[in-house]
Coordinates of all heavy atoms in Angstrom, one line a residue:
I335 N -69.3 21.5 -4.4 CA -67.8 21.2 -4.3 C -67.5 20.3 -3.2 O -66.3 19.9 -3.1 CB -67.0 22.5 -4.2 CG1 -67.5 23.4 -3.1 CG2 -67.0 23.3 -5.6 CD1 -66.6 24.6 -2.8
G336 N -68.4 20.0 -2.4 CA -68.1 19.1 -1.3 C -69.2 18.9 -0.3 O -70.3 19.4 -0.6
A337 N -69.0 18.1 0.7 CA -70.0 17.9 1.7 C -69.6 18.3 3.0 O -68.5 18.0 3.4 CB -70.4 16.4 1.7
G338 N -70.4 19.0 3.7 CA -70.1 19.4 5.1 C -71.0 18.6 6.0 O -71.8 17.8 5.6
V343 N -71.6 21.8 0.3 CA -70.9 23.0 0.1 C -70.8 23.3 -1.4 O -70.5 22.4 -2.2 CB -69.4 22.9 0.7 CG1 -68.7 24.2 0.5 CG2 -69.5 22.4 2.1
A359 N -68.2 30.7 -1.7 CA -68.5 29.3 -1.4 C -69.8 29.4 -0.5 O -69.9 30.3 0.3 CB -67.4 28.6 -0.6
K361 N -72.3 27.4 2.0 CA -72.6 26.2 2.9 C -74.0 26.1 3.1 O -74.6 27.2 3.5 CB -71.8 26.3 4.2 CG -70.3 26.2 4.1 CD -69.7 26.1 5.5 CE -68.2 25.9 5.4 NZ -67.6 25.7 6.7
I391 N -60.8 33.2 7.0 CA -61.8 33.2 5.9 C -62.9 34.2 6.2 O -63.4 34.4 7.3 CB -62.4 31.7 5.8 CG1 -63.1 31.5 4.5 CG2 -63.3 31.3 7.0 CD1 -62.1 31.1 3.5
V407 N -69.4 32.5 2.2 CA -68.0 32.9 2.5 C -67.2 33.1 1.2 O -67.6 32.7 0.2 CB -67.3 31.9 3.4 CG1 -68.0 31.7 4.7 CG2 -67.1 30.6 2.7
E408 N -66.1 33.8 1.4 CA -65.2 34.0 0.2 C -64.8 32.7 -0.4 O -64.6 31.7 0.3 CB -64.0 34.9 0.6 CG -63.0 34.2 1.5 CD -61.8 35.1 1.8 OE1 -61.1 35.5 0.8 OE2 -61.6 35.3 3.0
Y409 N -64.6 32.7 -1.7 CA -64.3 31.5 -2.4 C -62.7 31.3 -2.4 O -62.0 32.2 -2.6 CB -64.8 31.5 -3.8 CG -64.5 30.2 -4.6 CD1 -65.2 29.0 -4.1 CD2 -63.7 30.2 -5.6 CE1 -64.9 27.8 -4.8 CE2 -63.4 29.0 -6.3 CZ -64.1 27.8 -5.9 OH -63.8 26.6 -6.5
M410 N -62.3 30.1 -2.1 CA -60.9 29.8 -2.0 C -60.6 28.7 -3.1 O -60.9 27.6 -2.9 CB -60.5 29.3 -0.6 CG -60.8 30.3 0.5 SD -59.8 31.7 0.5 CE -58.2 31.1 1.1
E411 N -60.0 29.2 -4.2 CA -59.8 28.4 -5.4 C -59.2 27.1 -5.2 O -59.5 26.1 -5.8 CB -59.1 29.2 -6.5 CG -59.8 30.4 -7.0 CD -59.6 31.6 -6.1 OE1 -59.1 31.5 -5.0 OE2 -60.1 32.7 -6.5
N412 N -58.2 27.0 -4.3 CA -57.4 25.8 -4.1 C -57.9 24.8 -3.0 O -57.3 23.8 -2.7 CB -55.9 26.1 -3.9 CG -55.3 26.4 -5.3 OD1 -55.5 25.8 -6.3 ND2 -54.6 27.6 -5.3
G413 N -59.1 25.2 -2.4 CA -59.7 24.3 -1.4 C -58.8 24.1 -0.2 O -58.0 25.0 0.2
S414 N -59.0 23.0 0.5 CA -58.3 22.8 1.8 C -56.8 22.4 1.6 O -56.4 21.8 0.6 CB -59.0 21.8 2.7 OG -59.4 20.7 1.9
D416 N -54.6 20.6 3.1 CA -54.0 19.2 3.1 C -54.1 18.6 1.8 O -53.1 18.1 1.2 CB -54.6 18.4 4.3 CG -56.1 18.1 4.1 OD1 -56.7 19.0 3.4 OD2 -56.6 17.1 4.6
S417 N -55.3 18.6 1.2 CA -55.4 17.9 -0.1 C -54.7 18.7 -1.2 O -54.1 18.1 -2.1 CB -56.9 17.7 -0.5 OG -57.6 18.9 -0.3
L461 N -57.8 26.9 4.3 CA -58.2 27.0 2.9 C -57.1 27.8 2.1 O -56.5 28.7 2.7 CB -59.6 27.6 2.7 CG -60.7 26.7 3.2 CD1 -62.0 27.6 3.4 CD2 -61.0 25.6 2.3
Ligands
ACK1113 O1 -60.7 20.2 -0.1 P1 -61.8 20.9 -0.7 O2 -61.8 21.2 -2.1 O3 -62.1 22.3 0.1 O4 -63.1 20.2 -0.2 C1 -63.7 20.8 0.9 C2 -65.2 20.9 0.7 O5 -65.5 22.3 0.4 C3 -66.0 20.5 2.0 O6 -65.6 21.4 3.0 C4 -64.3 23.0 0.2 N1 -64.5 24.3 0.7 C5 -65.0 24.7 1.9 N2 -65.0 26.0 2.0 C6 -64.5 26.5 0.8 C7 -64.3 27.8 0.3 N3 -64.5 28.9 1.1 N4 -63.8 28.0 -0.9 C8 -63.6 26.9 -1.7 N5 -63.8 25.6 -1.2 C9 -64.2 25.4 0.0 C10 -63.2 22.3 0.9

Side-chain angles (χ1 to χ4, degrees):
I335 53 173
V343 182
K361 292 186 174 187
I391 198 86
V407 299
E408 68 180 301
Y409 185 64
M410 300 292 283
E411 294 81 354
N412 283 313
S414 42
D416 61 337
S417 47
L461 290 164

